[in-house]
Amino acid sequence: MSEPRPIRSGGCLCGAVRFTARPGPHMDVCHCGMCRRWSGGAFMGVPVTELVIEDESPLGAYASSDYGERAFCRNCGSSLFWRMRDGSAAVASLQAFDDLSGIVFAEEIFIDDKPALYSFAEDTAKLTGAEFMARMSGQEQAGG
Amino acid sequence: MAAGERISGRCLCGEATFEAVLEDGAMHACHCDSCRRWTGGVYLYLPVEPASLSVSGGGARFFQSSAFAERGFCAQCGSTLAFRHLDGRSADVSAQAVEDCGRFPFASEVFVDEQPANYVFAGARARLTGAQSQGLIGAAPTAEAAHV
């Protein structure tokens, strides 16, 4: 096991939503149709723990499945978090962190939903939606 | 799938939609700090004729992100929709909001001087700094819109 990574700060484009969280070591890109539409590009997510949001009042949440929701800034529209509605897991936008350094692009999920529009150059592990959901069943984190 | 084509798009929840006429029929990526924070990734956009862009629906909102520009999104689900300059010199929409977006060619990447080390797109195409892409506005209107 590596040393726990330090807590980092982050926020949305307009600054109305500020947070701190302990990021994991890896970032993944989700190519599912929901993440693509929501982000307007390729959502880069970092699993986090100890997520603390300074002021939740500007935060909007959209329940995109019966277990997951997408949280964003209602003032500027920044896509910020995917999280379990029961609070058991959260993924933060890599790009929302003030310091992005050292977080490695390790995995692309829902690769079978990726359009031909773009590809990434990194040598990442690539999982289909079915493979990802199978791996996550029994674990606490899943897309949706 | 070409310049002059009228396209439509929608947000994740369906409470906001847009229509516009494509300008160059191609997709571009913006790596600027603002677009990355706003999208949660990289903004993949289609330049459109500014006067042709209409954003509608109960969820549609615009956030003025600088003295020059505003960003359209859905306030119900947070989806990215569009970017436009207030003076009408350029506008673009999220490629991912358009059905069958895989048909667009990936023509350029802009603000590469603000791209972090975390990711790189595969393939070769025009790669412009922020200064270079802003210089194009006016000279080659809106093909590579500067997202400031």
Side-chain angles (χ1 to χ4, degrees):
Chain A
M1 293 290 289
S2 57
E3 291 290 311
R5 302 179 66 82
I7 297 243
R8 295 192 189 188
S9 61
C12 65
L13 175 59
C14 74
V17 178
R18 294 289 302 169
F19 67 92
T20 56
R22 192 182 303 281
H26 297 142
M27 173 271 278
D28 66 50
V29 167
C30 181
H31 299 289
C32 84
M34 288 195 285
C35 276
R36 291 190 289 105
R37 249 200 175 97
W38 184 53
S39 68
F43 185 68
M44 299 175 176
V46 183
V48 296
T49 56
E50 298 161 74
L51 173 62
V52 176
I53 297 164
E54 289 180 13
D55 176 7
E56 293 240 5
S57 62
L59 200 67
Y62 172 66
S64 53
S65 68
D66 57 6
Y67 50 88
E69 68 179 10
R70 295 161 189 275
F72 58 96
C73 174
R74 287 188 288 113
N75 184 56
C76 69
S78 292
S79 300
L80 291 170
F81 312 110
W82 181 94
R83 57 188 183 185
M84 292 288 282
R85 291 164 68 182
D86 65 7
S88 60
V91 173
S93 159
L94 167 76
Q95 306 284 17
F97 283 101
D98 300 324
D99 173 10
L100 314 184
S101 64
I103 298 176
V104 175
F105 184 8
E107 196 167 82
E108 295 177 65
I109 61 175
F110 286 84
I111 194 73
D112 47 329
D113 285 344
K114 186 183 84 62
L117 208 53
Y118 59 89
S119 295
F120 288 98
E122 282 82 0
D123 182 20
T124 57
K126 294 177 177 66
L127 280 73
T128 65
E131 289 168 343
F132 177 74
M133 295 304 279
R135 190 184 73 183
M136 290 300 146
S137 65
Q139 296 185 35
E140 61 185 2
Q141 175 198 333
Chain B
M1 70 166 72
E5 177 188 344
R6 176 167 289 277
I7 55 158
S8 61
R10 67 166 177 86
C11 68
L12 177 57
C13 75
E15 290 295 316
T17 60
F18 62 74
E19 288 190 17
V21 173
L22 291 179
E23 196 155 79
D24 64 356
M27 187 197 82
H28 306 262
C30 183
H31 300 286
C32 85
D33 292 337
S34 294
C35 280
R36 289 188 288 102
R37 234 181 241 268
W38 186 49
T39 62
V42 181
Y43 182 43
L44 302 176
Y45 65 94
L46 306 170
V48 299
E49 294 176 8
S52 75
L53 175 62
S54 68
V55 180
S56 54
R61 298 284 187 282
F62 277 89
F63 167 68
Q64 188 174 333
S65 54
S66 73
F68 314 103
E70 62 184 2
R71 294 165 186 271
F73 65 99
C74 176
Q76 296 299 314
C77 68
S79 291
T80 297
L81 294 172
F83 172 97
R84 65 185 176 194
H85 277 102
L86 299 173
D87 65 4
R89 72 184 135 141
S90 86
D92 46 68
V93 298
S94 165
Q96 302 280 28
V98 179
E99 292 292 339
D100 192 24
C101 61
R103 62 204 172 97
F104 300 110
F106 189 173
S108 81
E109 298 177 51
V110 301
F111 281 81
V112 295
D113 48 326
E114 294 186 17
Q115 181 177 354
N118 306 73
Y119 64 89
V120 174
F121 283 113
R125 63 191 63 83
R127 289 174 52 82
L128 306 173
T129 64
Q132 288 168 335
S133 65
Q134 291 192 62
L136 287 176
I137 289 189
T142 73
E144 286 90 10
H147 289 121
V148 294

